[in-house]
């Protein structure tokens, strides 16, 4: 095996590692964004459930006819 083929193999392996590391970083960033969105939505829904309805609005809906 010649020196140039060994160097080419090393460069290819290094590029593959870099590409894989970039893919993992992008997956992690996407996961963090999704997690932040879910946390924001959960926080908003909890705030709505804890709030009281405005005065004049009841807690129940009367549908008797």
């Amino acid at each position: 095996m010649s020196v140039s083929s060994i160097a080419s193999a090393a460069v290819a392996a290094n590029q593959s590692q870099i590409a894989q590391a970039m893919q993992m970083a992008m997956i992690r960033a996407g996961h963090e964004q999704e997690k932040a969105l879910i946390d924001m939505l959960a926080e908003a829904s909890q705030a709505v459930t804890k709030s009281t309805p405005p005065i004049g609005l009841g807690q129940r809906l009367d549908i008797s006819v």
Side-chain angles (χ1 to χ4, degrees):
M1 197 178 241
S2 68
V3 175
S4 63
S5 63
I6 293 173
S8 296
V11 168
N14 190 23
Q15 287 176 340
S16 175
Q17 287 177 344
I18 291 171
Q20 188 177 21
M22 289 176 63
Q23 288 174 346
M24 287 301 298
M26 290 171 62
I27 290 171
R28 282 189 193 116
H31 174 71
E32 290 297 322
Q33 287 177 346
E34 289 173 354
K35 187 177 173 186
L37 179 61
I38 290 169
D39 289 344
M40 183 179 66
L41 292 173
E43 212 174 274
S45 68
Q46 287 176 354
V48 167
T49 57
K50 290 180 182 177
S51 67
T52 58
I55 296 174
L57 296 179
Q59 295 283 341
R60 291 183 243 160
L61 180 63
D62 184 11
I63 56 171
S64 61
V65 180

